[in-house]
Structure formats: structure tokens, C-alpha cells
Amino acid sequence: MADIKGYNMPDDLYYHKDHSWAKVDGSKVTVGMNDFFQKEAGDIVFVDLPEEEDEVSQGETCGKIQSRKWIGKLVAPVSGEIAEINEELEEDTSLINSDPYGKGWILVIEASNLDEELGDLMKGAAVAPFIEEEIKRAEEEKAKAK
């Protein structure tokens, strides 16, 4: 597990710039929201998810995640078909906050173009500079809001 400035960003995952994470297992890709997203969002109160068998494209918004502060978007890190959604989130959206990389997973995509698309995601050493920039951006936005 990589800790980047207080954010847990596991090394074995891929990350999209819109804060979704992707865990690759063959052609199946489990997707959730990263620790930075859930901490910035605060308590998640509602999740609007796509249907199973829906087709999604990499970078496309395929769901909404609402907290007490704002509504964020769930962006597909890879293209493919929605194979499964985490139905437990319908009962308990707080799993995204309490266990973003475990029980708080959001959906599984049966990837259609994995080899090409993984190169568009961040992994390993590329994640730290991205999170540092996102922290700076969030701090600037908070300062402007005051």
C-alpha cells in the first residue's frame, strides 16, 4: 500500500484522472473511487449506477456519486460491458468511505480494449505527482471559496 500525503493509493491498482481506480483480473476490471475522492467528498449518501450489460467507454461518465457536499461523477477507467454492480451500495453507500478498495467497490467491467487502454491510466510512480497536484488544486479551491 502506498501512502501519498495521507492518502492510501495501493500500488497494484490503476488510476484514472477522475479518481476512479481499476483492479485488473484477466479481462475483468473492478472499479471504485480512490481514497482522495472519498476523503474530499465526505460522507457518500447516494450512488447512481449504470445497469448490468450497459456498454461504457473509457473516460465516459457512467454514474454519479453524491455526498453531503456535492455530486461527483463515476468515470469508466476502461471500455467494455458492465458485468456486475455492487448491490450492497444500495443499502450502505458508506462502504465507499469506510473501505474504498474493498467492500466499497462500485462495479465490474468486462473490458473490451484493455491492452491499449491501460496505458492511459496511472500506476506506480505516476500516482504520487498526480495526487500532490490534486491536493494543491483542492487547497486552492477551498481558499477561493472563503
Side-chain angles (χ1 to χ4, degrees), residues 31 49-51 53-63 74-83 107-113 117:
V31 178
L49 298 177
E51 300 288 321
E53 299 183 4
D54 280 1
E55 291 288 328
V56 294
S57 298
Q58 183 179 48
E60 170 189 26
T61 299
C62 63
L74 169 62
V75 173
V78 296
S79 302
E81 181 180 293
I82 305 295
L107 51 83
V108 176
I109 297 172
E110 180 68 42
S112 58
N113 197 14
E117 292 181 343

Side-chain angles (χ1 to χ4, degrees), residues 23-39:
K23 182 176 185 177
V24 178
D25 182 10
S27 63
K28 290 207 182 308
V29 178
T30 303
V31 178
M33 298 307 290
N34 70 30
D35 194 39
F36 180 87
F37 176 92
Q38 73 85 12
K39 284 180 178 162

